[in-house]
């Protein structure tokens, strides 16, 4: 009888873990600890243009970094200094420990047809594929030869974990 109860209990635990959902990390780009203006210039290590000062959110999640199976919602509201055909965002760990590029999610999401001076607002959702080592940043980039300044505005989201 003990073996039967133990087996039933273990089965219930396994079934529960099958249906368990990961955590949902909410990021408002405005909450970055790296300033409210994002400068995008030629990438000295590649062919694209990318942020010089990536939005950083490590302080909000220290000790509680996402793991595979979690999701990250990036809420944004911003204005650009110039027209940008497509601004791509990726969630990475850009710490020295991660050798400055560890994709936390393998997704690259884009905001299209950005016009200078007009506020753009939305939410991009990323599935976490790799655990960051020590940092959470949002990489902003594009392939066009354009220097730009992105001014972050409050989207209304609260940077947190649910």
């Amino acid at each position: 009888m003990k073996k039967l109860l133990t087996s039933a209990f273990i089965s219930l635990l396994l079934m529960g873990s099958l249906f368990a959902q990961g955590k949902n990390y909410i990021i408002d780009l405005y909450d970055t600890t790296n300033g409210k203006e994002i400068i995008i210039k030629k990438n000295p290590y590649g062919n694209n243009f990318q942020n010089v000062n990536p939005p950083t959110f490590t302080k909000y999640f220290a000790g509680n970094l996402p793991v595979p199976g979690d999701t990250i919602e990036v809420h944004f509201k911003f204005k650009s200094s110039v027209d940008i055909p497509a601004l791509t965002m990726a969630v990475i760990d850009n710490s020295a420990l991660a050798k400055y590029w560890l994709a936390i999610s393998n997704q690259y999401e884009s905001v299209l047809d950005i016009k200078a001076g007009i506020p753009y607002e939305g939410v991009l959702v990323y599935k976490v594929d790799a655990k960051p080592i020590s940092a959470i940043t949002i990489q902003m980039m594009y392939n066009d030869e354009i220097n730009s300044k992105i001014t972050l505005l409050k989207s209304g989201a609260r940077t947190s974990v649910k």
Side-chain angles (χ1 to χ4, degrees):
M1 183 66 145
K2 260 186 171 177
K3 285 184 181 180
L4 182 62
L5 287 174
T6 302
S7 294
F9 181 71
I10 290 172
S11 295
L12 284 172
L13 284 175
L14 290 174
M15 285 182 65
S17 67
L18 288 175
F19 297 106
Q21 293 182 341
K23 293 179 185 173
N24 188 30
Y25 290 73
I26 311 290
I27 290 175
D28 183 337
L29 280 183
Y30 185 81
D31 292 338
T32 178
T33 58
N34 222 8
K36 304 306 180 215
E37 292 185 344
I38 307 302
I39 306 301
I40 300 179
K41 292 186 175 186
K42 175 75 174 97
N43 176 359
Y45 307 105
N47 296 329
N48 67 343
F49 280 59
Q50 68 181 25
N51 45 228
V52 174
N53 53 330
T56 304
F57 303 92
T58 308
K59 84 167 194 174
Y60 294 99
F61 308 117
N64 191 15
L65 295 174
V67 297
D70 291 342
T71 57
I72 299 174
E73 290 179 21
V74 177
H75 296 251
F76 63 87
K77 185 173 183 180
F78 63 78
K79 292 191 291 186
S80 174
S81 61
V82 297
D83 292 354
I84 302 172
L87 175 66
T88 300
M89 293 186 224
V91 182
I92 68 166
D93 178 341
N94 76 332
S95 67
L97 291 173
K99 298 187 182 349
Y100 304 102
W101 189 279
L102 170 66
I104 297 171
S105 174
N106 291 319
Q107 292 171 242
Y108 291 76
E109 302 292 339
S110 297
V111 181
L112 304 175
D113 299 322
I114 297 167
K115 302 296 180 207
I118 297 175
Y120 285 82
E121 188 170 4
V123 179
L124 302 173
V125 180
Y126 298 84
K127 179 180 164 246
V128 175
D129 297 313
K131 182 173 176 44
I133 296 170
S134 64
I136 298 177
T137 58
I138 307 300
Q139 186 71 20
M140 302 170 86
M141 59 201 144
Y142 45 76
N143 289 326
D144 302 287
E145 295 186 12
I146 305 168
N147 290 325
S148 67
K149 177 176 73 175
I150 305 291
T151 302
L152 301 175
L153 307 167
K154 188 71 178 150
S155 77
R158 184 175 166 265
T159 298
S160 60
V161 180
K162 291 185 177 182

